[in-house]
Amino acid sequence: MLPLLPQARFRIYTTLNSYVQGFRALLSGRASPSADLSLLEKALRERFSVEHAILVPQCRVGIYLALKNLIQPGQKVIMSPYTIVDVSNMVLLAGGRPDYVDVERHSCNISADLVEKRLGADTGAVLITHLHGMAAEADRIRTLCAKHGVPLLEDCAQAFGTREKGRLVGTFGQAGIFSFGMYKNVNTWLGGAILTDDSSLAEKIRSELTAFQASPRPMLRIKLM
């Protein structure tokens, strides 16, 4: 049994009022796409000073969509082995091949030194994860990626608001992907966002999202329980 006051990483930051508002939205139909989403995207663009902020159903979906539109089928995606299986699955679904390099002992983030050694002609992208709110040497890895003409993606699911050298993570690479899941820094029970200055990438992702169906209400109700 969890203690009454669990550790911060296991705590759900919700209130009774947030549940009431959630159920009201479901009952009234406001859980479907609305102007509220545009307001959130606008707020994200302003906070991160980026050209595009695109809301997605989940962070993992954002990773899939970004990779699908940046890599060629069969290319390797350099990434950390210290991640959830869903992230690896998104790489595979996008047509890539996970290319794991080890992590640093002091941070458990991907090693920039090993990324440098692994970058090659068959590398389609580098996907870094800012784990537990700690930045993963994004500035250095961005420089390495630029030398090889390889896009950098940032998994910022656990790092909303984290800065490296005064710059917000999620703005170093071609795209930064965030999660708004239950246990994340900023949560909406479900959902995520892709931030990018690449207008072509943003257009392709938005085009694909138009074919997505809204989550059925029974599923959303389960998320609220």
Side-chain angles (χ1 to χ4, degrees):
M1 179 181 293
L2 288 174
L4 293 178
L5 294 175
Q7 298 178 28
R9 67 185 296 264
F10 295 115
R11 193 174 302 144
I12 300 177
Y13 295 92
T14 55
T15 63
L16 177 60
N17 185 54
S18 64
Y19 284 92
V20 171
Q21 291 181 0
F23 279 114
R24 282 179 177 172
L26 284 173
L27 293 173
S28 67
R30 289 188 66 250
S32 59
S34 68
D36 293 342
L37 302 184
S38 296
L39 289 175
L40 179 53
E41 288 184 343
K42 180 176 183 292
L44 289 169
R45 289 196 304 271
E46 292 176 350
R47 177 179 177 82
F48 288 86
S49 299
V50 294
E51 291 293 326
H52 306 278
I54 308 164
L55 296 180
V56 291
Q58 289 180 283
C59 178
R60 65 198 64 173
V61 176
I63 291 172
Y64 161 74
L65 289 173
L67 282 171
K68 180 183 177 183
N69 288 286
L70 285 173
I71 67 172
Q72 298 298 318
Q75 285 188 312
K76 293 182 179 180
V77 177
I78 295 176
M79 59 187 294
S80 168
Y82 190 21
T83 185
I84 59 174
V85 67
D86 303 276
V87 172
S88 296
N89 284 339
M90 293 305 101
V91 174
L92 293 169
L93 287 173
R97 291 185 293 156
D99 187 13
Y100 301 109
V101 301
D102 210 347
V103 299
E104 296 177 330
R105 182 181 295 272
H106 69 277
S107 68
C108 291
N109 279 329
I110 193 169
S111 168
D113 289 338
L114 296 180
V115 169
E116 183 174 16
K117 293 178 181 178
R118 191 66 61 87
L119 278 163
D122 57 352
T123 302
V126 175
L127 171 63
I128 62 174
T129 299
H130 302 290
L131 196 65
H132 304 317
M134 297 181 65
E137 288 195 86
D139 187 58
R140 180 183 172 194
I141 295 175
R142 176 182 61 170
T143 301
L144 296 173
C145 288
K147 288 180 179 179
H148 289 78
V150 172
L152 168 65
L153 299 181
E154 298 174 74
D155 175 358
C156 308
Q158 299 184 17
F160 191 102
T162 295
R163 292 178 182 269
E164 180 181 321
K165 297 184 176 180
R167 180 172 179 170
L168 286 164
V169 300
T171 64
F172 286 87
Q174 196 105 2
I177 303 98
F178 291 80
S179 172
F180 301 138
M182 284 288 280
Y183 294 93
K184 300 306 187 294
N185 309 64
V186 176
N187 72 76
T188 59
W189 281 295
L190 194 64
I194 301 172
L195 307 183
T196 183
D197 286 322
D198 186 332
S199 296
S200 176
L201 175 62
E203 183 179 350
K204 291 176 182 177
I205 291 172
R206 284 198 184 279
S207 178
E208 291 205 42
L209 283 172
T210 58
F212 280 39
Q213 295 182 348
S215 297
R217 291 191 182 183
M219 178 182 174
L220 294 175
R221 290 192 185 100
I222 292 173
K223 278 290 180 180
L224 285 170
M225 299 303 289

